Amino acid sequence: MKTMKYFTIKPISAEDFLILEQLDREIFPLKSQQTLFSKNTYNENAICYVAHALLNTEANCSLSPVGYINVSFTGLESEILSFGVTKNYRGQGIGKSLIGLTLKNLAAVNCKSVFLEVRKSNQTARKLYSSFGFRKTGVRSNYYSDNQEDAILMSLHQLQNIEYLSFLQSTLHKLPYYSK
């Protein structure tokens, strides 16, 4: 049996591509177009992080990719293109850490607004985004081609607000991966 001791988050690297494309298919089996990590990794307008869990088995310890976030940014705006955590590792702070670290780094490059689309049925993700201050701004009807599900548009426009930055720092310090 494998148990997670802790997890780390680092920028994506070329050796992560294949496993992340497999994770993407596992996390989003209905998704009509899978994320192509290699095209985004070396783009100066992209932020891609991967979360690795340190797994403790009877024989040894190993790092295994369990989640990722893929963001495009241009100047003052950014968009979360793809984000997910494998089913067995949800609820342990990995997703919250990926979002928090990404928002912190977007704030550091003077990004002011972040946008995303999320499936209407994905209440867990919507709740996570809301906990970081994202608000519903619209609906794209029949957006997802695999099942014609609506996409909820969400955005965050307070990324440079001093109170928000303080909230973000406080949130990050409470997470298990974060080193002070």
Side-chain angles (χ1 to χ4, degrees), residues 16-156:
D16 295 319
F17 294 160
L18 284 176
I19 189 71
L20 288 178
E21 287 173 359
Q22 292 170 348
L23 282 179
D24 192 53
R25 285 189 296 275
E26 176 188 326
I27 295 167
F28 302 108
L30 298 178
K31 194 162 133 181
S32 58
Q33 187 174 16
Q34 302 303 315
T35 303
L36 300 174
F37 293 97
S38 58
K39 288 186 177 181
N40 296 319
T41 302
Y42 301 108
N43 180 341
E44 65 185 31
N45 293 327
I47 295 176
C48 302
Y49 291 115
V50 59
H52 287 89
L54 178 65
L55 303 177
N56 190 13
T57 63
E58 289 79 27
N60 60 5
C61 292
S62 64
L63 285 172
S64 177
V66 295
Y68 68 89
I69 190 165
N70 184 11
V71 178
S72 173
F73 70 93
T74 56
L76 302 176
E77 296 183 346
S78 62
E79 181 178 1
I80 296 175
L81 302 173
S82 190
F83 160 69
V85 175
T86 58
K87 195 173 193 173
N88 292 340
Y89 293 93
R90 293 178 187 161
Q92 299 182 48
I94 296 169
K96 194 171 194 177
S97 297
L98 284 164
I99 293 286
L101 180 64
T102 299
L103 293 175
K104 177 184 175 194
N105 288 327
L106 287 170
V109 295
N110 294 316
C111 178
K112 297 201 183 309
S113 299
V114 184
F115 302 90
L116 61 88
E117 293 104 10
V118 60
R119 286 182 184 268
K120 185 178 180 180
S121 64
N122 193 343
Q123 295 297 324
T124 303
R126 290 172 61 186
K127 183 177 177 184
L128 176 63
Y129 296 135
S130 293
S131 76
F132 277 98
F134 283 86
R135 299 292 171 245
K136 179 180 173 181
T137 56
V139 175
R140 286 198 175 131
S141 298
N142 304 314
Y143 180 74
Y144 293 98
S145 61
D146 53 16
N147 64 358
Q148 277 52 60
E149 184 173 356
D150 293 347
I152 303 299
L153 305 175
M154 299 183 84
S155 62
L156 171 66

